[in-house]
Amino acid sequence: MSDDFDLEPQPQGTKTGWRRFLPSWKRRDDAMDVDAPATGSRLGTALRWGGGLLAAIIVLYYPVGALLTHHIDDDPSFAPPAVPAEASQTVAMAAALIDREVNGTSWPANAPWFFPAAILDNMPNFQSGEIQALQRVVTELRDQIGRSRGTSSSDRALQDAASYLNNQPDLWYIDLSRSWAPMKPSESYYNDAMKSLNDFNGRLTRGDAVFERRADNLLSTLDRIGKDLGAASDDIDKEIDTESGAWFDLNADDIFYRNKGELYAYGLLLKALGQDFKSVLAEKGAERIWSRMVGSMLEGAALQPWFVINGETASLAQPNHLAEQGFYLLRARAQLEEITDILQK
């Protein structure tokens, strides 16, 4: 019998005894001996991490970017800088509104798909409603108030301002559905309108322009604004008639915020117009009703629910924000018609 033990050799790196309970670390020479499959594994891991990070950035890009862009400014106390006594408060307010919306905030109405603001909905509708009101008031300045007795030619600056404002709010540099050539964006047109309005007010201050503060001019302007408010009210009626009761009426918020912008701009512009025609309103005894009309518009513009719901009008469970807005619209329109009756006497 032999005293030699025939032990099988242990694989290199195998731990024995108490050492087997300790963690393992690769030796430097082992770590450097990396074959191609290990390199491929690390590359795959890096690609997966990179792809995940890119996906996260894309997912966050739109909502975070849109959240940072979104801003609906319905401040009822907004006012232009100091206006000289000889200038028009209405013209100054129109120019200040354009400047604030185009230069002071973003203009998402014409944002292409690769901008986060492209997914915004309420802010573009609000700004479009403001532009609609500005179009009406500046057109009336051009056709009625900014010329002598309606017989002289229109003021060139007011012509330009009205023309620039009549451009759609969704024009961008490139839009192949409209033109193959690069285009001028909406903001540039509206900035040109602002410059033309400021030019008119500057010449008015120097006595080189006309601003006819007559009751018939005011009456004509109010008549056309009243028709715009009637059209906005009709839009609400049609939407309630066809879609009320639906929890997710995707068109309701478009109508609501477009009307909100129109009410807001009209409220500020008519507040300024009342200052321009202060003597006429005082002579006719219409100052108080004028103030109430402006208040109704700005109260309607202050409505801002978390979600716009077009619920059943008699429902206790579903609110109807369109109907609530329609109340202020109709009240403002009724007060406007009362003012026109007073001016006709």
Side-chain angles (χ1 to χ4, degrees), residues 136-137 218-230 262-263 266-267 269-270 273 281 286 288-297 328-344:
R136 170 60 62 197
V137 170
L218 183 58
L219 185 63
S220 175
T221 300
L222 292 178
D223 180 62
R224 287 169 174 79
I225 292 175
K227 291 178 180 178
D228 285 349
L229 296 178
E262 191 172 349
L263 277 171
Y266 270 142
L269 291 167
L270 288 177
L273 194 65
L281 295 176
R288 182 173 297 179
I289 183 63
W290 186 279
S291 178
R292 290 204 297 268
M293 174 191 67
V294 170
S296 295
M297 291 179 178
Y328 291 101
L329 262 171
L330 290 176
R331 189 172 74 176
R333 188 183 179 195
Q335 291 162 337
L336 186 147
E337 290 175 349
E338 184 177 347
I339 293 170
T340 59
D341 289 341
I342 294 172
L343 293 175
Q344 287 175 333

Side-chain angles (χ1 to χ4, degrees), residues 132-144:
Q132 187 171 340
L134 285 163
Q135 288 172 348
R136 170 60 62 197
V137 170
V138 173
T139 297
E140 293 307 306
L141 289 172
R142 178 197 66 190
D143 294 344
Q144 301 293 333

Side-chain angles (χ1 to χ4, degrees), residues 128-247:
S128 296
E130 288 181 298
I131 291 297
Q132 187 171 340
L134 285 163
Q135 288 172 348
R136 170 60 62 197
V137 170
V138 173
T139 297
E140 293 307 306
L141 289 172
R142 178 197 66 190
D143 294 344
Q144 301 293 333
I145 302 174
R147 59 197 301 178
S148 298
R149 296 286 177 181
T151 57
S152 63
S153 59
S154 300
D155 186 274
R156 182 62 187 175
L158 293 179
Q159 286 183 23
D160 290 343
S163 176
Y164 293 138
L165 284 171
N166 279 333
N167 285 280
Q168 295 297 317
D170 60 347
L171 299 177
W172 196 60
Y173 295 99
I174 299 174
D175 188 347
L176 299 181
S177 65
R178 288 187 169 109
S179 172
W180 286 92
M183 299 192 306
K184 189 174 181 177
S186 302
E187 304 99 301
S188 295
Y189 283 116
Y190 299 154
N191 267 321
D192 289 341
M194 177 191 67
K195 293 173 185 175
S196 295
L197 291 170
N198 287 332
D199 172 66
F200 173 82
N201 242 3
R203 290 188 295 107
L204 189 61
T205 302
R206 298 189 298 270
D208 296 331
V210 175
F211 193 91
E212 289 284 347
R213 294 172 170 85
R214 302 196 321 267
D216 59 331
N217 279 343
L218 183 58
L219 185 63
S220 175
T221 300
L222 292 178
D223 180 62
R224 287 169 174 79
I225 292 175
K227 291 178 180 178
D228 285 349
L229 296 178
S233 181
D234 287 343
D235 289 342
I236 289 177
D237 289 343
K238 290 176 184 176
E239 192 67 18
I240 290 176
D241 290 343
T242 58
E243 299 292 338
S244 63
W247 282 100

Side-chain angles (χ1 to χ4, degrees), residues 58-70 107-125 253-254:
I58 292 174
V59 168
L60 294 175
Y61 173 71
Y62 281 99
V64 173
L67 183 64
L68 294 174
T69 302
H70 180 76
W107 189 262
N110 64 351
W113 65 268
F114 49 85
F115 283 8
I119 68 172
L120 290 175
D121 186 38
N122 297 338
M123 183 180 176
N125 278 300
D253 63 331
D254 294 346

